[in-house]
Amino acid sequence: AQTVTQSQPEMSVQEAETVTLSCTYDTSESDYYLFWYKQPPSRQMILVIRQEAYKQQNATENRFSVNFQKAAKSFSLKISDSQLGDAAMYFCAYRSAMSKGNKLVFGAGTILRVKS
Amino acid sequence: KAGVTQTPRYLIKTRGQQVTLSCSPISGHRSVSWYQQTPGQGLQFLFEYFSETQRNKGNFPGRFSGRQFSNSRSEMNVSTLELGDSALYLCASSLGTGWDNEQFFGPGTRLTVL
C-alpha cells in the first residue's frame, strides 16, 4: 500500500517570502500522480498543483512550484511571494495510475501560517 | 456553475443511531468520492462511485455504506454510530476517472457523535 508522509506539522512564513513544504511517499509503482491540495479555514479543499510521475519537468502554477525527485520519492511544494491568503492546511496526495478510479492517499497535512 | 454541495453541513447524533449524508456533484460530473477527515487519522478514503457503481472502497467497516443515483447525487450512510465516527466527511466530484479530471471538493459535513 502507498503511504504519504508530511514531516512538518506546522510552518510559518513572512508575507512576501518563500516557503517550502515537504512531502515524501512510498510506493512500488512506477507510474502515479502527485498532488498538493490546500484546505483553508473555511474547509473547502482546492487543488494547488499536480505532477505526473513520468514527467521529469517540475510542475509550476504561478507562485506555486514543485520539486519532484522520483528516485528519492520526494515531492515538495514551494510557495513564492507568500500572501496572507496562502494560510491554510496543505495536503500532499498520491494517486495510483495502476488502479481504476480517483482514490487519493493523503499525507497528514502541514499547517502554513503567514505572518504580516 | 454551482460547486459541490453537501447536506447537512452539521449533524449531531448519539451512539447507536444511524445517519445519512448527501453529496450533490457539479453538474455533469459522474464520479463521486467520499473521505473521512479526523485529527487523529487525517484524510481517509471511504469509497468512490461512478455511474451508480462503486469503483473503489477503503478500509472501513461495513457500517459505512454508500450509493449513487442516476443523477450522480450520492449518499453515504453510517449505521450504529460510534464515538470514533465523529469527523468531517468530505465528498469530491469529477467528470470521470482520468487522472487529469480534477476533483472538486465540497465543504463537508461535520458529524458529531455523542
Side-chain angles (χ1 to χ4, degrees), chain B residues 50-111:
Chain B
F50 179 78
S51 293
E52 301 179 67
T53 301
Q54 188 179 84
R55 277 212 161 208
N56 249 320
K57 191 176 190 309
N59 294 327
F60 279 82
R63 301 185 297 106
F64 291 81
S65 62
R67 58 179 176 169
Q68 186 179 36
F69 301 94
S70 57
N71 62 359
S72 293
R73 189 177 70 86
S74 178
E75 287 181 349
M76 67 162 281
N77 183 276
V78 188
S79 62
T80 320
L81 284 165
E82 299 177 0
L83 295 179
D85 297 334
S86 294
L88 180 69
Y89 290 88
L90 297 171
C91 83
S93 78
S94 68
L95 276 170
T97 55
W99 88 278
D100 55 344
N101 287 158
E102 182 177 344
Q103 291 191 67
F104 294 85
F105 283 81
T109 293
R110 169 74 64 187
L111 171 65

Side-chain angles (χ1 to χ4, degrees), chain A residues 33-35 37 39 42-47 50-52 54 89 91 95 99-108, chain B residues 4 9 31 33 35 37 43 45 48 55-57 88 90 94 96-107 110:
Chain A
Y33 311 106
L34 298 164
F35 305 84
Y37 281 88
Q39 188 179 42
S42 66
R43 297 289 184 183
Q44 199 131 7
M45 190 115 64
I46 56 174
L47 177 65
R50 56 188 167 191
Q51 173 85 39
E52 301 116 293
Y54 61 84
M89 175 84 94
F91 291 97
R95 176 184 163 167
S99 56
K100 293 180 183 178
N102 287 318
K103 176 183 173 181
L104 294 169
V105 177
F106 286 92
Chain B
V4 178
R9 292 293 311 278
S31 170
S33 298
Y35 292 86
Q37 185 175 15
L43 277 153
F45 174 78
E48 178 191 2
R55 277 212 161 208
N56 249 320
K57 191 176 190 309
L88 180 69
L90 297 171
S94 68
T97 55
W99 88 278
D100 55 344
N101 287 158
E102 182 177 344
Q103 291 191 67
F104 294 85
F105 283 81
R110 169 74 64 187

